[in-house]
Amino acid sequence: MPEPTTPTPPRRAAGGVGTHPAAPAGPRPHAAGVGTSPARPEAEAKVNGAFDYASDLHFDGMLWGHTLRSPHPSAGIRAVDTAPALALPGVHAVLTAADVPGKLHYGLIDADQPVLAAGEVRYQGEPVAIIAADTLDTARLAAEAIRVDYEVREPQCDPQAAVDAGNHFRYQPVRLGEPVTAEAAVIIAREYTVGMQDQAPLGPESGAAVPTGDGGVRLHVATQWLHSDLEQLAPCLDLEPDRIHMVMAGIGGAFGAREDLSVQAHMAMLALATGRPVKMMYDRAESFLGHVHRHPARMRYEHGADEHGRLVYVKAHIVLDGGAYASTTDAVVGNAASLAVGPYEVEHVAIDAWGARTNNPPCGAMRGFGGVQTCFAYESQMDALAEALGLDPLEIRRRNAVAQGSRLINGQIIDAPSPAAPAVVGSDAVPQAGTAPSPAPPGAAGADARPFSPLADMIDRIREIPVPAIPAARDILDLPGGTGNTTHGEGVRRGVGYGVGLKNVCYSEGFDDYSTARIRLELEDGEPVATIHTAAAEVGQGHWNLQTQIVRTELGVDRVRLAPNDTKVGSAGSSSASRQSYMTGGAVKAAAEAARALWTDRDLADGPIEATRVFRHRATKPMDAITGQGDSHVQLALCVHRATVDVDVELGLVKVVDLTCVQDVGKAMNPNALEGQIHGGTAQGLGLAVMEELVTVRGEVKNASFTDYLIPTILDMPPMRLHIVENADPEAPYGLRGAGEPPTLSSTPAIVAAIRDATGLALTRVPVRPEHLTTGRPS
Amino acid sequence: MTTPALTAPAFHRPADLADALAHLAEHPGAVPIAGGTDLMVAVNYRRARPEAMLDLTGLAELRAWSDEGDAIRIGSGVPYARIVAELATVLPGLAAASRTVGSPQIRNRGTLGGNLATASPAGDGHPPLLACGARITIASTAGTRTVAADAFFTGPKRSVLEPGELITAVTVPKAAGPQQFLKVGTRNAMVIAVCSFALSLDLDARRLGTGIGSAGPVPLRAREAERIDLPWADPRRFDDALAAEFGRRVAAAASPMDDVRGTADYRRHALAVCAARALRRVWAAAHTEGSGR
């Protein structure tokens, strides 16, 4: 099982605390502190294969759990006969809805999802029965032996039809100004479609449940939010929360897929029923069916602008398909609605956003969370407006860019970064000779009367970075089609496009979002050692490392340990919404400051010091149900992408040859990890642009495998040029701004804009498939 | 309902080919396994549940290739990585196809014999075998027979292979001119073919060979396209119209379907484009000094 990581500092702090324990006067630069890029505590184990992922869990005497899932998107269940499965040697338990000890439903926001289907299934892959057996193979065979008498029904798969019939999880309008009567010189009205993207974490859903002997259970599981799991599980298992101990298991990627429960309730039920440890691990196909996806979307947009390209009004009709159960659709719709026009000023707004209830696979959290779909639409609209007006695509964005003091469409006033002291530090994370001269810091030119606009500044910066001159004659690996040897230059055209994204950071709409950290300081061999205890999920983003950096900075100690993430400390909230650096980073900082204060008055030789702190961000408000107005967001983050693509216009194959990105991160807490986040977020946006789609036909998933659900390889993802801006947010710890999601928003529209530039096609759907580029192509 | 077997498959590792064939004769249900890159995926997903497995990886005679003068005899257990590394000069079309198979790990394990035995219409190795006129050697305790590549496939994932038979070798004529392999996929590497096309130009016999992958129930030859008149006497008379006509004939020979990887229309279109490009490339390579690809 995963052990607490015990990182030794990569190098000793020069002039740090020596063998004499002494209370530090205050935070000081530390060689492995905030702003540096020390090696991750778990890096070596992950690189050499020694890291224990949830799928590596093993307990003596453990059984294997497996799930029988519905093959039908919609069906009544007349009867479930488990006897043939129970009759198999090696099978220890077969449980159905009738065996759920407590509450029959769970859910992240609304508890509407059955632990096991009772009487009815509403999507393909819905769990119907669970089995515990000596081996996984036996458990799978037992699942095949269970007889389920289905009454197959016609599935409701059209989200618009569902909305029309009143089947939606949320409807959120936004109204501003006089959208009905507003008049514009130029009008662009188009309809956009976004396919169903999957998080495709490489680590499948996995975990183990171990009975504690007193009627309780301990769960080791790869999850994004231990305490939310616990809160949902306890009533279903009919256990007091303190009888369930949740421990984080090694996570192989998350991206939102691990926000909802998967194996948790099932393996706990099996462990409690058999009195033995039970492990569950999905295979790839089951993983695709066993977690939520990104909401597919159909969006009708109308933008009106004046003759200078300034937005007059935006109207949008947005339908997100939530699938069969609520999951986080409520919050996704809130984001889609409040971020529906992007980082642009506009007077008149009419947005109508729905989360439809259908028999398609349930959709919920994925990196970008409601911001991705609309970003593709509004950025495509901005390009269309620019084209209609003969404007440069960057210029039209600059003219409409929000600034300090601007009002977003939810009525919220942008109040950070501070216009008085914008701490702008430009740095090329991937320095390239002769590129990216830093523009003059904003505010330097006194003549500029406009309030500081971080977006206009970022647009100016990306404009200064030249489009790379990539030679035409190259190896086939550099050309569209890659290893397929489809072109040696035949049919290849170059295109360039831009995208801008606006993403909220932390939980919005009045949610009481907090995190907890405990720090213990003690002497070991005469040296101070700090132990950090939080429940924050390290999902690969480098959060463990960040915690140690914060503690080294605040306490000046070299030796920092991480206690296992579990529920014996308060909630850290979810590793999602780009929030953990802000929230658990803030909690660890506060706990470290408290420990430092205690340390000034006492000697560690007299005993250890312990401090626990809960950190909250500023309060937000719900969106008004009629107008969508309300200060619903905590922090807003911006990212600007430029994509350069080569398209084989005869075959419709695309090679993205360059991605340049300007992102405002407030403070680069760990530059190396930050670059990784921007690369990864950008790659996921690239995937949505040109290949990633979970295809469903009448509610059935057609490509639940990595053979047919394609994610970008290293050959599809170009080297990136990053320009990181640090406009500090005075409200956030160290001035940081959440960074993991914004690149996922802006890279997709930038790439599609570049493909439009190369092909001349309108392209209103992602992912762009080869046949979209070869049919209807202007000759 | 039959009670499924709960025992692990029996596993036999033969000492030599004769032992392997004898074992297969005795246990026709035993599934031969070499690289396992396809079979083990099927086993993991319970699409296949072999009662017994016959491990071919210890048979040295299947893991070697030999120069037979005008052809190369490739043991069925030779992995793609070795075809790429060792046979690219004499068999450029097959080597080009082999380069597109999966990832480096898959190419290190996956074999031509396994690809044939699976007989997927999307198998990357098949089109160049058709284009080059390769012959497949099949052995059993009853003896050995040889089947032309274009007579080997009988349907999707079906072939002439009978129970008790084992593919032992594939004999591929050495290239007598430029060859091309083009594979269309939605990703730039490590992707299953949406469609693929192999072309060989035999300068001695003044003949074209073709192979179409992933655009029909079986890998196909485009016989009408092979019969196109080429301006051998005056190679400069080769023009885009001729290449386009060749592309049309190749597309007409395909019988693709709509699936999650692509539409039938797109496959026909892409085949026409690929075939025209392939013909231009081989013609240019044959008639232009120093033109490599």
Side-chain angles (χ1 to χ4, degrees), chain A residues 536-607:
Chain A
E538 165 63 66
V539 294
Q541 80 279 49
H543 188 67
W544 285 341
N545 204 15
L546 186 69
Q547 290 187 4
T548 68
Q549 290 177 253
I550 290 171
V551 166
R552 291 200 173 103
T553 294
E554 296 300 329
L555 293 173
V557 298
D558 289 341
R559 294 175 62 187
V560 180
R561 280 186 195 141
L562 293 156
N565 304 126
D566 67 4
T567 49
K568 303 223 158 163
V569 64
S571 174
S574 182
S575 286
S576 46
S578 304
R579 66 179 283 289
Q580 276 310 16
S581 297
Y582 194 131
M583 297 304 296
T584 301
V588 168
K589 180 171 185 279
E593 285 166 348
R596 193 175 70 223
L598 290 170
W599 197 2
T600 27
D601 298 334
R602 55 184 293 182
D603 194 326
L604 287 182
D606 299 333

Side-chain angles (χ1 to χ4, degrees), chain A residues 27-73:
Chain A
R28 63 180 78 174
H30 188 284
V34 166
T36 71
S37 299
R40 294 179 178 207
E42 78 281 17
E44 195 178 319
K46 278 186 173 169
V47 169
N48 69 22
F51 184 82
D52 275 325
Y53 288 96
S55 49
D56 298 318
L57 288 165
H58 178 85
F59 294 90
D60 287 339
M62 76 179 189
L63 301 172
W64 283 85
H66 184 61
T67 314
L68 173 69
R69 294 173 183 276
S70 165
H72 308 294

